[in-house]
Amino acid sequence: MKLFPDLTHLHRAAIRAYTLLPYRFSRQGYALPAPFFIFEMTRRCNLRCQMCQYIQWLRETPPGQQKEGELTTEEWLGVIRQVPRWGLISFTGGEPFVRGDFLDLLGCASSRCRTHMITNGTMLTEERVRHLMDFTPRRFGGVGFNILGLSLEGPEEVNDRIRGEGGFAKTINAIKMVSSMRRERGRRCPVIHVTTVIQKGNLDYLSWMPQIVADAGGDVVNFTLEVRNQELQGFGSRDPSGYSMPQLNSPRLDPQRVSDALRDTRRAAEQAGVELRTPNMPDREIVRYYAGQTDLRDFQCPELWSTLIVSSKGDVHPCWVTRVGNVRETSLKSAWNNEKFRAFRRRAREGLFTPCAGCCMLLYHAGNKSE
């Protein structure tokens, strides 16, 4: 028996309801006030995962140089204070805990609105977990730290081959600590989701994930697609319509193996009593993605009407495909409906771009096919 609501359906239903009218009827691309915010605290990380889009940058850029230009503590506090109290902030990276001030920033945000954090879990000590628990609300959905996201790629040998030796044990220990302290305090939060990237190195072990997560005390298994758009030359700075599908170095996996893995994982999740979250598309479209057959005409991106992204250096993005300003020069409110943001919404509504393929924010709608 699940202790938590189906988070996937709640979130997706909320986005559809909130964005329906402006998406369909705002010719100028205006959106209602942003309810969701993604704050990339840093691109620095203590791991070097094989499928990471920033792996080349992490390997080739000296540590001191990686930090250059990041928003300071005071700058991040100023950004956080601009988020409405009914908003939801997702803190991500890189690895947020490589910033010594991260707990202070999370604490400030959690005192004002709802928060969600994504971490690899390897830097979560018992002391840090206790601090996290101090930020949680009494009930899910209340102001405070609601959701904790961690990352695992499979059983220990598989995970550590992909993410680095010793990572599995540290992440599992982190999940167990959070789950244990959650019980001790009689809290339902934070809900724990574990993200796994579907890739060549773990495809045959995906069905192991529900039981691994359940045994550690987690609640949700979250599958995402492996994307390589950051490898496109000029990505984020040039017109995204200038790319073609052959330029996108998307991974290729055997269709039958992908289909079997998804089927087996759904069965395993039901048996383990955890929620399985997959990209917002039918399983057959996940299979098509890894076969290089994605048809972007079958997808929409309502997230452009609901989500605002701030990078580690303050750039404001509708998504990583383009930027519309910087928080050192403009407020979140001003950037949200400025001309660049609205123009991008209008263009994306007419048709998505090659770098959009595989993005976890896309919504499948099959507008051009009858299957």
Side-chain angles (χ1 to χ4, degrees):
M1 182 177 184
K2 294 181 180 179
L3 298 177
F4 301 98
D6 190 321
L7 303 179
T8 303
H9 291 155
L10 284 176
H11 177 73
R12 290 173 178 171
I15 290 177
R16 284 195 292 270
Y18 193 79
T19 62
L20 180 62
L21 291 180
Y23 180 89
R24 290 188 176 181
F25 300 112
S26 177
R27 295 183 178 180
Q28 297 303 314
Y30 282 99
L32 298 172
F36 304 120
F37 300 80
I38 298 175
F39 291 167
E40 178 195 62
M41 306 309 296
T42 181
R43 288 194 179 179
R44 292 176 287 146
C45 189
N46 62 315
L47 299 182
R48 298 292 182 267
C49 304
Q50 293 178 4
M51 70 293 181
C52 178
Q53 294 196 73
Y54 304 139
I55 186 64
Q56 185 174 353
W57 178 81
L58 287 166
R59 287 172 175 168
E60 298 178 356
T61 308
Q65 189 176 332
Q66 292 180 15
K67 189 177 180 180
E68 290 179 1
E70 286 186 354
L71 295 180
T72 65
T73 303
E74 288 305 315
E75 286 175 322
W76 269 123
L77 288 172
V79 172
I80 289 168
R81 289 169 183 145
Q82 295 178 50
V83 175
R85 292 189 176 273
W86 44 268
L88 170 66
I89 301 176
S90 289
F91 290 98
T92 184
E95 170 51 51
F97 278 107
V98 302
R99 288 189 63 119
D101 60 357
F102 177 61
L103 275 177
D104 293 331
L105 296 174
L106 179 63
C108 173
S110 299
S111 70
R112 295 175 45 82
C113 57
R114 296 158 188 82
T115 59
H116 164 224
M117 175 184 68
I118 300 174
T119 171
N120 60 44
T122 62
M123 298 179 71
L124 270 179
T125 62
E126 183 176 349
E127 181 181 3
R128 284 174 170 167
V129 171
R130 292 192 183 281
H131 280 298
L132 293 179
M133 294 305 302
D134 290 339
F135 305 151
T136 58
R138 293 188 177 278
R139 297 181 180 178
F140 179 76
V143 170
F145 179 48
N146 277 258
I147 308 171
L148 170 65
L150 303 103
S151 302
L152 284 172
E153 306 306 329
E156 186 166 14
E157 182 179 350
V158 173
N159 179 84
D160 289 2
R161 183 170 61 246
I162 294 171
R163 303 184 69 87
E165 187 175 352
F168 180 87
K170 292 178 181 178
T171 302
I172 288 292
N173 184 57
I175 297 171
K176 289 180 176 179
M177 283 193 296
V178 174
S179 179
S180 176
M181 291 189 194
R182 190 172 63 181
R183 288 194 303 270
E184 289 175 7
R185 301 196 184 194
R187 297 291 175 92
R188 293 166 61 95
C189 297
V191 174
I192 303 168
H193 74 76
V194 177
T195 294
T196 301
V197 180
I198 301 173
Q199 56 191 291
K200 180 179 179 181
N202 67 3
L203 182 59
D204 296 326
Y205 299 90
L206 295 178
S207 62
W208 294 40
M209 289 306 303
Q211 196 60 56
I212 290 172
V213 171
D215 288 346
D219 310 298
V220 180
V221 176
N222 178 43
F223 281 176
T224 61
L225 306 183
E226 182 181 0
V227 292
R228 312 305 310 178
N229 53 21
Q230 291 280 348
E231 297 176 356
L232 290 168
Q233 187 174 4
F235 177 80
S237 61
R238 58 178 283 190
D239 187 342
S241 64
Y243 298 108
S244 62
M245 278 297 183
Q247 293 175 281
L248 191 63
N249 185 30
S250 296
R252 296 290 187 269
L253 297 175
D254 178 72
Q256 190 60 55
R257 288 175 62 202
V258 176
S259 180
D260 291 346
L262 293 170
R263 179 202 63 209
D264 293 346
T265 305
R266 292 196 181 281
R267 292 175 179 171
E270 185 174 353
Q271 292 174 358
V274 297
E275 178 186 340
L276 175 63
R277 175 177 181 175
T278 57
N280 201 357
M281 62 184 76
D283 285 355
R284 66 177 181 274
E285 289 300 318
I286 298 176
V287 174
R288 286 169 58 83
Y289 172 76
Y290 283 101
Q293 298 173 353
T294 294
D295 187 343
L296 287 171
R297 294 173 298 177
D298 288 343
F299 293 84
Q300 298 172 341
C301 188
E303 297 270 356
L304 297 177
W305 277 258
S306 66
T307 304
L308 182 148
I309 303 170
V310 179
S311 77
S312 60
K313 297 183 179 181
D315 286 334
V316 180
H317 300 265
C319 74
W320 296 115
V321 170
T322 191
R323 67 181 292 275
V324 298
N326 189 284
V327 296
R328 289 176 170 135
E329 303 166 354
T330 186
S331 67
L332 299 184
K333 183 178 181 180
S334 296
W336 177 241
N337 273 317
N338 69 19
E339 175 53 34
K340 288 184 178 180
F341 210 135
R342 290 186 288 111
F344 189 73
R345 290 191 187 109
R346 295 195 298 269
R347 291 182 63 191
R349 186 166 51 193
E350 294 172 0
L352 299 176
F353 313 101
T354 291
C356 300
C359 177
C360 61
M361 293 186 176
L362 296 187
L363 169 66
Y364 179 78
H365 72 105
N368 296 277
K369 291 184 179 180
S370 58
E371 297 189 66

